Amino acid sequence: MATVVVMPQLGNSVESCLIISWQVKVGDEVAVDGVLCEVETDKASMEVPSTEAGTVLAILWDEGDDVPVKEPLVVVGAAGEDPQPALDAAGWKGKDGEAEEAESAAAPVEAPADEPATSAPASSDQPQAAGSGNAGTSPRARNLASSSNIDINAVPQGSGPGGRVIERDVQAVLAAGGTTLAAARAGALPGQGTGLGGRVATADLGKEAPAEAPQAAPFLTSGAREYPGPSTATPVKGIRKVIAERMMHSLASSAQLTYTSTAKAAGLLSLRKKLKGSPEELGLNKVTIGDLVGFAAVKAAAKNTNHNGHLEDGVFTTFENVHLGMAVDTPRGLLVPTVRNASQMSLREFSTTSKDLAFQAIDGKINPDLLAGATFTVSNLGGFGIESFTPLLNVPQVAILGVDAIFPRAVINDDGTVGAEQRIGFSLTADHRVIDGADAARFLQDLVRYIENIDITVLG
């Protein structure tokens, strides 16, 4: 019996998933827990397993589609079985909310020669809803054709199952120049008109076909180098799009101001060296400079509770426990896992948990729920040699600490001689709506004290 497999809710905060790639096609056999597709949420990439075993009878979405959770994703059943009854039972109305047949391996029903392949009526101002010699059109294809005043019959063959015209086929016609309805009825083809991009307009009808225009030579600069040269255009989507939207929202919705300070790093470097050489059974030999700084930052946030809070809808909420967000550089973009209850952890537990979450984020296997709920965030660019930067708030949080590089700075010794000492920089961005400059200064003073006495800080 055919069964609908739905898009799972991959975390309590996930509302939809973007399909990155299908790992199966119609007709493939799939086992329970077999991978159907790779998806991307607004926070991570992961694989979607099948909850049923059998033959893939229908795939309901295209790569690049944003699929709401709990929506039908594929139909699995016995080979040759009709998937439509299962879709009807699930209330499937098509991904555009219109009733449509599943794009399955079943042979399409051919329309009579004198009727369009779909039920959409033709009119003088509406595109024909069928491609030439194809198995019908999808609602998205019809909508795009209608809004662009394109005759969908200009698509000679659809790329969907059974030759069905889908949205990307209409986009291809548009890219080729497009053909207006009136021009299509007169037999004009894309690329033969005087409209934008060679699009055929009604004014071109009745004109004789112009002689083939000479090809324009590419614009060359001195030395016969082509201008502008090779380039790559990449749509901003998935995690990158979410990051862009959140950063713009962060700047537009808060009053951000950044404060900088430095601390002596000799204690950090000395303790790190001791821990690296400590017995392995103590579990401290893998503690990094970043772990020590993060641990100290948690102490500072726990003391300065107005930095450990959320400002949302005019309500400022401060938290007793620090749930630390860690900015992590991953192949898919910036992710911020949350070390929950970081203020209640020992250094060893904090270090182990931080590394485990970072590895999960980099591998794209992290639970999306662990990418939310932070009350204070640390972003460490010191490893890249950055000496100062302006971190952006992860709203609704009201503070974020940027950790800068350790660098040598000249110092005048007590005896008047000039020397050099290692110092580490900090860049604290705070929301001035609830954190005044003096408050931010006190936070940095406490942080500097914790860092310069790190051997005592880790014992607290």
Side-chain angles (χ1 to χ4, degrees), residues 259-262 289 293 379-383 385-391 401-407 423-428:
Y259 310 83
T260 60
S261 184
T262 66
I289 293 290
V293 172
S379 178
N380 191 340
L381 294 180
I386 301 300
E387 295 187 3
S388 181
F389 68 106
T390 303
L401 179 68
V403 180
D404 308 323
I406 296 176
F407 53 91
R423 299 190 73 87
I424 184 171
F426 300 106
S427 304
L428 175 71

Side-chain angles (χ1 to χ4, degrees), residues 167-219:
E167 185 179 32
R168 65 169 170 256
D169 301 319
V170 180
Q171 291 172 339
V173 172
L174 284 170
T179 305
T180 62
L181 288 171
R185 295 187 187 105
L189 296 176
Q192 295 180 341
T194 59
L196 182 65
R199 185 176 178 183
V200 178
T202 306
D204 296 311
L205 300 180
K207 294 182 180 180
E208 292 186 5
E212 185 175 347
Q215 294 293 321
F219 181 79

Side-chain angles (χ1 to χ4, degrees), residues 309-354:
H310 289 173
L311 179 59
E312 200 165 15
D313 298 326
V315 178
F316 183 35
T317 304
T318 58
F319 300 87
E320 181 177 342
N321 294 335
V322 179
H323 308 292
L324 184 68
M326 309 180 305
V328 176
D329 179 33
T330 80
R332 284 161 291 279
L334 174 67
L335 297 180
V336 187
T338 301
V339 182
R340 296 177 175 178
N341 296 304
S343 53
Q344 298 177 331
M345 293 181 175
S346 66
L347 175 61
R348 181 174 62 182
E349 184 181 5
F350 177 79
S351 175
T352 301
T353 304
S354 300

Side-chain angles (χ1 to χ4, degrees), residues 296-315:
V298 167
K299 297 292 185 184
K303 180 179 179 182
N304 298 269
T305 55
N306 58 343
H307 288 63
N308 186 47
H310 289 173
L311 179 59
E312 200 165 15
D313 298 326
V315 178

Side-chain angles (χ1 to χ4, degrees), residues 230-300:
S231 63
T232 302
T234 304
V236 179
K237 60 182 182 179
I239 292 177
R240 188 74 261 164
K241 182 178 180 180
V242 171
I243 292 172
E245 292 172 347
R246 286 183 174 175
M247 294 301 96
M248 290 299 296
H249 174 65
S250 173
L251 288 170
S253 64
S254 58
Q256 304 190 26
L257 188 60
T258 301
Y259 310 83
T260 60
S261 184
T262 66
K264 295 177 182 179
L268 278 176
L269 296 171
S270 176
L271 181 57
R272 163 62 180 136
K273 184 177 180 179
K274 291 179 182 178
L275 293 175
K276 187 176 181 179
S278 66
E280 186 173 348
E281 58 268 23
L282 295 179
L284 294 170
N285 58 321
K286 294 184 179 179
V287 172
T288 65
I289 293 290
D291 293 333
L292 294 172
V293 172
F295 191 82
V298 167
K299 297 292 185 184

Side-chain angles (χ1 to χ4, degrees), residues 23-30 54-59 74-81 103-106:
Q23 303 302 308
V24 296
K25 61 182 181 297
V26 171
D28 284 354
E29 292 294 321
V30 64
T55 301
V56 178
L57 303 175
I59 293 177
V74 300
V75 182
V76 175
E81 189 176 359
E103 296 185 358
S104 67

